Every structure is written in structure tokens, then in C-alpha cells.
Amino acid sequence: MAYTERPMRRSALIGPWGIGAIVPFPNDESLMIAGLDAWRYQDEKAFIITDERLTQRLGVKELRWPPDFRERNADKNNCNLKIPAVRFPRWHYCPFCGYMKQATYYQKQPECDGPPWKTGRVCSLNGKYRKKMIPERFIVVCPEGHIDDFPIADWIHYDSGHAYDETKCKIRRSTGGASANLTGVFYECTCGAKKSMAGATTKGALEKIEYRCRGAKPWLGIYSDDTCRQDTKDIKVLLRGATNVWFADTKSSIYIPTENEMINRKIAGILRKHYDNLISRREEGEFYEQIIDYLAKSEGVDPEILHQAFISETEKRNGIMDVSEDMSEDQYRQAEYKVLIRTSGSDGQYFHSINHPIAEYDTVIQKYFKSISLVPKLKETRAMVGFSRLEPNEKSISEKKRELRLGNENWLPAIEVFGEGIFFEFNKQIMERWGQNKAVRSRIEMLNSSYHKSNFGKQVQGNLRPEFVLIHTFAHLIINQLSFECGYGSSSLRERIYCEKTSNELDMWGVLIYTASGDSEGSLGGLVRQGEAGHLEDTIVSALHNALWCTSDPICIQSSGQGPESLNLAACHNCALLPETCCENGNRFLDRGVVIGTLEDSDIGFFSELNFT
């Protein structure tokens, strides 16, 4: 927490707020979270998060919890820690007389000490001006990540016949008129210059007043570095609360147990001696469990620990722990996919998955899936690696990390949350055959048309795959149904897709639906129980049956593009969209049509042959 009167959850510092974000606090106060150079720990060891894979992926020495306020009796070495912040925007105005003042990044919230401006409004109390001033709504944002106050003085003095003198000119802000748009916001100066905000957000408005980006980085304490060469026409005037002022860039990881957690010298010796025999028996499916039991009994070790040590050693030899900063997100997830499609981990570890062949489930869903894995225990680590403004970007991890600090310390802020989940492994052969259907590919072409015009499509080569759109939409439909049936709030459930968007080099065909909300909802057990045979079949059928008709149909099902940048087809808030915290793709790339079919072609859906009655 920053202060007792300005509380903030530590998880919020990874998203939706974080370094460089403008946080609105009560009492009309606006602060920006400062860079990592200003984060202080008396004893950082108590805040370190252990996740070997994610640490390697991000190229850092360690991950740390954000500092938090602690009672002295609870932790004498880490008491009264605070999250640092700077004041932004700097321009403030008095809500009574309109007098404006420009603060610094580091001072307290300004108070009005200006004249009454002969307006009839008096903001003084007993002759003293002590009214808290309100931060200005308008700011300018650069695509390079720079952010600054709207140039109010330049705006009202340009082409006014008056020169701005910072030592003499005093600016007043006022609102009036029946209009609620920018024409109702006026600025006037004691020198006589006066102008409204009309036209300030239009293209070319900043070029007209010869504005140039100063390269300001308030979160790092930089007023100007004069290095930005961004074209002024690309700099935007925004409200400080606009959603495109700040986009968090976070990387998450499902914790996978490593060999170091289990292998002691005795077990390591058993594996060195018998590994080749064990791997051949396990691949052939003959006597593996009997051999494990025999070796464990003869050597005096626990059979389950020996089994898990063997699994971890196999993962190591298969390159599961071979992680680098340059690998793609799909390559990183492949290791998780390999442990999710089989029984892995144990209840005594942070990860435990139990794989069930689809033959254990009712025949109604057997055609569409290969297996279902129940995950009664998992740990997710989420780390903040950077942020962007105006639009999400695809800069490298090393480039993004440089925006978080000026120094050379080698750590990143992160949180860890615990939960449970259900993993769906789709039938590869059925899905590939469906994806080659001409009608399916023709429908996805409509989505690709919008995709290549969007910011996302410009950064990635290739076309969206029908299989990815299908798995993603199925995940949304299942989350909606699970939140209804097992009591979780929809915002508590998340998706983690194991399927490449535009290529199929890694051969992944699954999705994990899990809860990792960081509170008591992460351990209720209802999600795993709903994934058991006898329950899951009804959930899937009900989700698909509900998707057959949307309250916005036929408009929704016949849509050729809706949602952000028209990157959805048949998907709207009444059928397939979820809270932003649930979706990895910002509620984009969704289409009910590829799941259950359309009005014109009911056979186009992957699940169109399923009996919904």
C-alpha cells in the first residue's frame, strides 16, 4: 500500500495499474506509479518469488512481490513499506474560482491560493485560500511511451496576439454553456488570451501550435530528455482516464516442478542406473509401475517421489526447462502443454494434474476431445515486464524492461496466485479435418480481413487459424457456463490457450480453464469437481446449447465484423464476451459460427453434429 489513506492491492500493481499508469485516488487526487528505482525493501529476501522457468524467460535474476505495508510486530525488517508515486498531471485547477497552478512531480496536492478573479465565487475560508485543487483532465500521449500535460499555455496564447510570461501570466479554467463537449471548457489568461478546448483532439491540432514531444517520463522523474523524434501528428490529446493511456505488458507462467524439488542423492543414483530401462518400459506401457514399486521398496524410498523424480528427469532431457528470453510465447507454453496432457506433479507440490482419457467420459463428447486433465492444484506467477501507450506493441522483452527503471538492477515485480483448473485436449485428427473445410476457411477469411488491418495483424505474419478461433471461443462459452454451474464469478475464471494463432509448428491443441484470483476462490474445489465424468458432459452440452441462440440474433450471428477493430464475428456481450481479466486476447478473435454453425450453414460448426437435446 502506498499510504493507509491510499490503499491499493499489490496484485493491482501488475494490472490494471502499474509502473507508468495514472491511478485515480479518492478526494480528486491523481498519481502515477513510480519506476522500480524508487521501490525500496529493507530485506528483499522476504519478497522473492521462486519460479525458475519464468525468471529465465524474462532474463532477470529474480522476481519480487511489490512492497506492502506491514505491522512492525509481524515483520520488523519490512515494516511501513510504501509504493512510491509521483503527481501527474501537474496542471491543477480550483473547482471554485478556476485558478490554475502547475505542481511538481513530488509535491503534495496543491491548494488554491489565488485571487477570486472577480467572478463572484469565493474559495477562501476566513480569509485563507485552502481548497484542494483538482488535476486537469487533458494530457498528451506519445506512441513512444512519453506522456505530458496538455500544453495549456501554448494552446491559449498561440495566434492570440499575447505572449506567455510564466512569471506574470495567471490562467483560469471555466466551464459553461449547454454543451457537454470540449467547446464548454475555456481557459483565459490575465494577459487577455482566451480559448476553448474545441478542436484540441483533432488531427493536426498540436502541429498548429508547433508542439513537440519533450520525451517526458514522469514515472522516472524525467521532465524532458529532448530525444524523442516522434512526428507530432501521431501524438494524441487524451483524457487522463482513457483506456489507451496505458497498456500493461505482463507475462505469466504455470509453475512446473523441476528436478531440484525432488531428486536427492539416493533417488538420483537410482535414476542414473535404471533410467533407460524405465523409459522403455513406460513408452511400451509394460510393467513400469511394478518396476517403480520394486526399486522404491528395495532402496527404501517413496514410490511416488521416485515416479515424480523420473518424470522431472524426463522433462529435463526433453528440453522442457530449456527457456530463453528470445523464445515465443507459444514455445514457452509448450512445456506446460506437455505436463498438462498427462498426469504430473503431486498434491505435495505446487502443481498437480490428473489426466483422464476421453473414454472415461460419455460418448456424447468423445469424438471432439482426446483427454481431459483435472488440475486440483496449480500456481500461476504473473510478472510485469513493461507497458505501452496508445496501442499494445510487440517490442522485445529487453526493450520493454528498460522503460521500468533508470538503474541496472536485475529484478521485476510479480505476484503469485494459487488455484485449480480443467484442461481440454482436443482431438487433433478431427480438428485438422474440420479446419480444412472450405466453408470454414471462407468464414475465417472475413475475420482475417479485419485482422490484417488491425494493429495486431500488422505485427504478426500469417492468417488466423480456424482451430485457434474455435478453441478460444469454446473457452469463453465454457467459462460462462462454469460460472453459472459451480459458483465462481466469471471474472475469477481465466483461459490459457495452447494453440498457435497463425501457424502449427508446435502441435498444441488445448485450453486450460482455471481460477487463480489470489483469494479464497482459488481453493474451493468446485471447478475440478465439475470436470469429472458425469458432470463435465452436461456442462459442455449446456454451454453449446446456450450458444445456439443469442438475444442479439440474428444481428449477432450474421455479423461480418464487430467488437474492437471488428475482430469478432458472431460474438457479443450477450453470448461470448467475458470480463477483460478472463481473456488473453482482449475479447478479440471470437466467433460462435465456427463452434455451432450459422443460420446459412449449420454444418460449419465443429460441434454441429452434437445432440443438444
Side-chain angles (χ1 to χ4, degrees), residues 16-65:
W17 313 116
I19 299 164
I22 302 173
V23 185
F25 285 99
N27 301 318
D28 296 312
E29 192 167 22
S30 176
L31 300 175
M32 179 178 286
I33 304 300
L36 295 178
D37 303 289
W39 293 31
R40 292 290 179 261
Y41 301 87
Q42 277 80 36
D43 181 11
E44 64 274 6
K45 293 180 181 179
F47 295 86
I48 292 176
I49 294 175
T50 302
D51 193 315
E52 183 180 340
R53 290 181 65 245
L54 188 57
T55 303
Q56 292 179 22
R57 169 81 194 287
L58 302 181
V60 294
K61 181 180 178 182
E62 61 191 28
L63 303 173
R64 299 181 190 173
W65 280 95

Side-chain angles (χ1 to χ4, degrees), residues 266-285:
K266 180 181 286 189
I267 293 178
I270 297 172
L271 290 178
R272 280 194 301 268
K273 187 177 181 179
H274 299 282
Y275 181 81
D276 291 338
N277 184 36
L278 286 170
I279 195 68
S280 63
R281 294 297 184 184
R282 190 167 187 267
E283 290 175 351
E284 295 171 4

Side-chain angles (χ1 to χ4, degrees), residues 364-380:
V364 70
I365 65 169
Q366 287 184 8
K367 173 183 175 181
Y368 308 102
F369 303 96
K370 181 180 179 181
S371 70
I372 303 293
S373 290
L374 304 183
V375 188
K377 194 171 185 180
L378 64 82
K379 182 182 82 167
E380 182 191 26

